[in-house]
Amino acid sequence: MTKQADDSSPSASLANLIISPESRHQALFKNTYTRRGRELDIVVPVYPDSNTQCSFQKKNIDMDLASRQEGKGQPENNFTVLDPAVCLINVCSLQVTMQLRDIDEARRLYDQLIPLAPIMLALTAATTIWSDVLANTDARWNILSQCVDDRTLDEADGISVGSQRNRNLRPRYSSNDLFMSKDPRLLDRYQDVDVAIDDEVKRKLLNSSMDQRLATHFAHLFVRDPLVVFAKDSEADEPQDTSLFEAIQGTTYPTVRFKPPPSLHSDIGWRVEFRPMEVQMTDFENAAFAIFIMLLSRTILYFDLNLHMPISMIDENMENAHTRDAVNCERFHLRSDPLSGAKPTSASTAVEPRVDNTPNSQDSITPISDGIHESPGSEATESSTGADASSSTTSLSSISSDASLPPYCPDNITRSKRSSSDADLAEDQPKKRPHSAAQQPSVSQQKPDPHEEFPLQSISSLINGNPSTGSPGFIPLIKRYLDQTHDLHSGTTARAKINQYLALIAARASGKAWTAAKWQREFVKGHEDYRGEGRC
């Protein structure tokens, strides 16, 4: 259905019914455009191949702002502009929502998942083609951030418009700005970005006995105008009704969302929604990543892991996650020892209803190297450690039985020059940023160097472990957690399935299995009709 002259859609090419048959989505798109007060064009960096030519023509786009939104290192003259409706309605994601025991546990998990968002975005990268454009990025997040960016020019440039609530306003679709837990390990210096808040909302919440961090979280939500409000919601006068709150909460899109119960009388509890992952090409992959996040969340709570880090470093990680083949070619800041100061959860607060109440604190957590052992003439298999030896050997080729699906390691496609060798991934070399003379702190002012406390590490080290950096690896930690539960011990059918999932993720992290984005790019580049123009 093409757009007619009398159609109210702000899209240049699509009618409202094509954007969405639902009035809420139509209103959301239209109100975003109206509040913004200017064209809503999506700037996409084009893959710079041998015959790529600049197709960017519009003169009224703020290219500096677009460059900041699109991430680091993108050539200013190699962009194309797409209709936001075309981008928005064609993108899917893999989101996992977990219900926790109570508000305190939900706040703990919320904090710990925020630093993991860029890691999982890179690990699941699957969006490198937009319309007919082969993009110079692998992930969707920054593109969708433009699609729902309703900020005025003043708000986007950080100009105060008379009150605190309009300052430093990031797009609705962005990484998280704040931590909120009561964890004493959460230091003020980790909250190192200037955040816009609604001072009046915060004052009311503090006066109602809400603690400082939680009040700041909700006051930050209320800096935004609701984009969609139905008449029936605006007329609701029940104090317990949360419709107006959800109108703001539901049109704010962080990587991790804190979700209160929908009402005081609901059976639904406090939840945390993990939102950065990209949808995969097969059901098996989607199941693997959903289960991985569920198990990692339980492992975090069980071992009381500490992943708090400066928000600014998480922002840097988020930009790195968009780079082509980021899972192999980028390094990410993360706490070098998440077990520091942590101890297994006591029996009274354990995540699983049945756990070993006397975990051996001396048990070793063995990194699994690159997660996959490969020998000439043999199939890649997951390495076995400890109690998993009888059930964790999983052939990578057996992960999917559907021969028509793209292979996880597409040997039939020539690997690009950007592919990392095993040697590149063997050890991490954390990069230290030297202080300039003007920035050298005095001895009395010195604090721990964040680049030593949160070194740059490869995703393989973070997921699979690396003895040289001291990273225990999230997969070994998950296996240790499973070993200490009765219902998922080694040898069970459920454990065997989980081991298959972990084998895929270990292979993806080590570079043995490609991301969907890399597979798509290499498929296009290897096609007989491709002419090196950066277009499909």
Side-chain angles (χ1 to χ4, degrees):
M1 180 185 295
T2 58
K3 182 176 178 180
Q4 304 298 317
D6 59 349
D7 195 293
S8 61
S9 166
S11 168
S13 57
L14 298 181
N16 268 326
L17 288 178
I18 292 295
I19 296 174
S20 174
E22 295 186 12
S23 58
R24 179 182 183 276
H25 291 157
Q26 293 178 15
L28 177 67
F29 190 66
K30 181 179 179 180
N31 292 345
T32 298
Y33 181 89
T34 302
R35 189 186 185 282
R36 178 184 172 91
R38 63 193 189 283
E39 282 193 77
L40 190 60
D41 292 302
I42 307 307
V43 182
V44 178
V46 181
Y47 177 63
D49 212 342
S50 56
N51 295 321
T52 300
Q53 296 181 355
C54 174
S55 58
F56 177 76
Q57 299 293 335
K58 296 201 172 186
K59 304 299 182 183
N60 59 342
I61 301 295
D62 184 343
M63 288 302 298
D64 182 58
L65 178 60
S67 297
R68 295 199 301 270
Q69 289 177 335
E70 286 309 307
K72 61 173 189 174
Q74 305 299 344
E76 290 188 3
N77 295 322
N78 202 24
F79 287 85
T80 190
V81 178
L82 300 180
D83 188 327
V86 175
C87 295
L88 194 59
I89 65 175
N90 283 294
V91 179
C92 298
S93 61
L94 178 62
Q95 299 172 358
V96 179
T97 298
M98 294 155 282
Q99 180 165 299
L100 287 304
R101 292 180 181 274
D102 52 37
I103 183 175
D104 290 335
E105 189 174 76
R107 291 171 69 174
R108 281 175 58 205
L109 183 60
Y110 172 88
D111 276 16
Q112 300 305 320
L113 289 180
I114 290 173
L116 297 177
I119 312 301
M120 297 309 299
L121 178 63
L123 201 58
T124 59
T127 317
T128 193
I129 298 174
W130 296 87
S131 187
D132 63 339
V133 176
L134 193 60
N136 199 30
T137 55
D138 273 7
R140 79 195 187 286
W141 196 270
N142 282 346
I143 305 295
L144 291 187
S145 178
Q146 296 180 70
C147 291
V148 293
D149 188 2
D150 68 326
R151 297 174 301 167
T152 65
L153 278 174
D154 285 344
E155 291 171 341
D157 289 338
I159 298 174
S160 178
V161 193
S163 72
Q164 168 83 356
R165 69 191 299 268
N166 289 317
R167 292 176 54 246
N168 304 300
L169 197 61
R170 297 209 282 186
R172 288 176 182 266
Y173 218 108
S174 63
S175 54
N176 294 67
D177 294 318
L178 293 164
F179 295 117
M180 68 157 75
S181 73
K182 297 179 180 179
D183 193 331
R185 299 170 298 182
L186 173 54
L187 306 180
D188 289 342
R189 61 185 172 90
Y190 298 155
Q191 314 261 36
D192 65 341
V193 296
D194 196 5
V195 176
I197 62 171
D198 189 310
D199 290 320
E200 180 63 17
V201 169
K202 183 174 180 178
R203 183 187 63 79
K204 290 181 178 179
L205 295 176
L206 291 174
N207 290 342
S208 300
S209 301
M210 186 177 287
D211 64 81
Q212 181 81 16
R213 286 175 180 166
L214 196 58
T216 302
H217 167 80
F218 286 116
H220 177 49
L221 278 180
F222 276 86
V223 300
R224 304 189 188 275
D225 296 327
L227 286 179
V228 181
V229 178
F230 291 100
K232 62 180 181 62
D233 296 333
S234 63
E235 296 167 359
D237 57 2
E238 285 289 329
Q240 293 83 11
D241 191 283
T242 61
S243 299
L244 291 178
F245 168 74
E246 292 296 341
I248 292 179
Q249 164 98 332
T251 54
T252 303
Y253 312 99
T255 52
V256 183
R257 180 179 281 161
F258 182 70
K259 304 180 76 170
S263 75
L264 293 177
H265 309 294
S266 175
D267 293 331
I268 300 174
W270 296 89
R271 296 149 294 155
V272 174
E273 181 183 38
F274 191 70
R275 309 184 66 255
M277 296 189 294
E278 309 224 315
V279 72
Q280 304 298 290
M281 292 192 289
T282 67
D283 290 342
F284 182 89
E285 291 170 286
N286 288 316
F289 282 104
I291 294 298
F292 177 75
I293 287 299
M294 292 291 293
L295 290 175
L296 183 54
S297 296
R298 293 181 175 186
T299 301
I300 287 170
L301 294 173
Y302 182 76
F303 289 114
D304 194 24
L305 300 185
N306 179 21
L307 299 174
H308 285 121
M309 61 185 290
I311 292 289
S312 60
M313 283 188 165
I314 299 175
D315 290 344
E316 180 182 335
N317 286 347
M318 200 67 182
E319 294 305 324
N320 291 345
H322 287 76
T323 305
R324 279 185 288 126
D325 201 22
V327 70
N328 293 313
C329 300
E330 286 290 346
R331 299 294 182 264
F332 296 82
H333 292 286
L334 206 68
R335 182 178 292 276
S336 57
D337 184 11
L339 288 164
S340 176
K343 55 186 177 181
T345 307
S346 64
S348 61
T349 57
V351 179
E352 287 285 332
R354 293 184 293 163
V355 297
D356 183 352
N357 295 333
T358 58
N360 183 359
S361 61
Q362 302 303 315
D363 287 347
S364 63
I365 299 178
T366 306
I368 60 174
S369 182
D370 62 2
I372 297 293
H373 292 310
E374 216 172 29
S375 58
S378 65
E379 293 178 329
T381 58
E382 182 191 7
S383 64
S384 303
T385 58
D388 291 339
S390 63
S391 62
S392 64
T393 301
T394 305
S395 170
L396 195 61
S397 63
S398 69
I399 284 175
S400 175
S401 60
D402 190 340
S404 66
L405 295 175
Y408 292 91
C409 296
D411 296 329
N412 58 318
I413 299 177
T414 302
R415 292 179 180 268
S416 68
K417 294 181 180 180
R418 289 180 58 88
S419 299
S420 298
S421 66
D422 292 344
D424 294 332
L425 298 171
E427 292 186 8
D428 294 309
Q429 299 295 331
K431 302 173 185 177
K432 296 183 180 180
R433 300 180 182 179
H435 290 285
S436 66
Q439 293 175 323
Q440 287 286 356
S442 66
V443 175
S444 61
Q445 295 176 332
Q446 284 182 354
K447 296 180 180 179
D449 184 349
H451 293 89
E452 293 182 358
E453 190 177 3
F454 311 100
L456 287 164
Q457 304 177 67
S458 69
I459 287 184
S460 182
S461 291
L462 297 173
I463 298 296
N464 296 323
N466 189 332
S468 66
T469 64
S471 173
F474 291 124
I475 287 181
L477 283 171
I478 287 172
K479 289 184 174 182
R480 183 179 176 185
Y481 163 71
L482 293 174
D483 287 341
Q484 295 177 3
T485 62
H486 294 291
D487 52 349
L488 287 176
H489 59 79
S490 178
T492 62
T493 302
R495 184 64 179 268
K497 175 59 72 173
I498 287 173
N499 285 333
Q500 285 189 316
Y501 293 149
L502 296 182
L504 169 62
I505 291 168
R508 181 73 65 81
S510 69
K512 295 286 173 52
W514 288 3
T515 63
K518 183 172 182 177
W519 186 90
Q520 292 163 15
R521 178 176 284 106
E522 296 302 323
F523 178 84
V524 171
K525 289 173 62 178
H527 197 278
E528 60 182 9
D529 292 332
Y530 180 67
R531 298 292 180 262
E533 298 174 343
R535 291 186 175 275
C536 303

